[in-house]
Amino acid sequence: MTTLRRFTCDDLFNFSNVNLDALTETYHLPFYLQYLSRWPDYFVVAESPNGTMMGYIMGKAEGAGEQWHGHVTAVTVAPESRRLGLARRLMGGLEKTSERYKGYFVDLFVRASNKLAIGMYTQFGYRTYRTVLEYYSGDPAEDAYDMRKALSRDPEKRSMIPLPHPVRPEDVD
């Protein structure tokens, strides 16, 4: 049975099996510690019965007014733990946390080339809100899709109405 629990500092020494995936962004240690200290309810690990990390989600609450929302910074599941519904559980947990914090929606950014992830998020109820040109650095730089899912505070789903044109990273609020 998989346990979902808050991420701890000790987990930073045990998540290599999860972070070695080519599509998982790996950040500097202070970045993880900032999320852990500022948004602990949004940083959750999926752990196997023997204590092995199976995946995690890292997010935050941000914005103001009707733009107050939960943001998924990273969600990843170890290759050997995929197809067990863990991403759905982790995303569902972050959505519930965002509901508790009275968010209007949850958003995330995904590489435009990551068709598998886009399909998964679509199955979870997320829709592309806008394209962010050259969001991911590299040669060449890659576009991102800003995908959103409305929460109960946005019953008319206004937060999900797609923008008619792409934006640049400096225009992302």
Side-chain angles (χ1 to χ4, degrees):
M1 183 173 173
T2 303
T3 302
L4 298 185
R5 61 166 178 78
R6 274 191 181 174
F7 199 95
T8 68
C9 288
D10 288 341
D11 292 321
L12 292 169
F13 302 106
N14 299 311
F15 71 171
S16 291
N17 67 312
V18 177
N19 265 28
L20 292 178
D21 178 6
L23 292 173
T24 297
E25 300 290 333
T26 300
Y27 305 99
H28 295 286
L29 188 61
F31 189 79
Y32 292 103
L33 293 173
Q34 175 189 18
Y35 273 72
L36 192 55
S37 66
R38 292 186 67 188
W39 303 285
D41 292 343
Y42 282 88
F43 206 166
V44 174
V45 63
E47 185 176 71
S48 73
N50 69 4
T52 302
M53 186 179 297
M54 300 169 75
Y56 68 87
I57 192 165
M58 177 171 63
K60 61 184 176 180
E62 61 184 1
E66 290 187 4
Q67 294 300 310
W68 176 248
H69 67 282
H71 174 75
V72 178
T73 303
V75 59
T76 187
V77 175
E80 65 274 12
S81 299
R82 293 187 180 150
R83 303 279 181 212
L84 301 174
L86 293 179
R88 182 181 296 277
R89 286 183 63 195
L90 290 165
M91 292 290 290
L94 189 135
E95 291 163 12
K96 286 179 185 171
T97 299
S98 298
E99 288 277 8
R100 252 190 4 256
Y101 282 90
K102 307 223 182 295
Y104 284 85
F105 60 92
V106 172
D107 79 342
L108 57 90
F109 294 88
V110 61
R111 290 178 184 273
S113 65
N114 193 345
K115 303 300 183 203
L116 192 63
I118 293 165
M120 178 185 73
Y121 296 133
T122 299
Q123 285 182 344
F124 296 170
Y126 288 78
R127 299 294 177 259
T128 301
Y129 171 69
R130 61 185 168 184
T131 300
V132 184
L133 300 172
E134 299 179 337
Y135 181 79
Y136 292 102
S137 61
D139 189 19
E142 186 172 355
D143 297 348
Y145 294 141
D146 176 356
M147 298 185 77
R148 294 184 174 189
K149 181 177 183 178
L151 298 176
S152 64
R153 247 184 123 184
D154 181 13
E156 296 167 10
K157 301 184 183 328
R158 289 187 299 180
S159 61
M160 294 174 60
I161 298 171
L163 291 184
H165 54 80
V167 298
R168 307 269 329 149
E170 58 270 16
D171 299 323
V172 174
D173 45 353

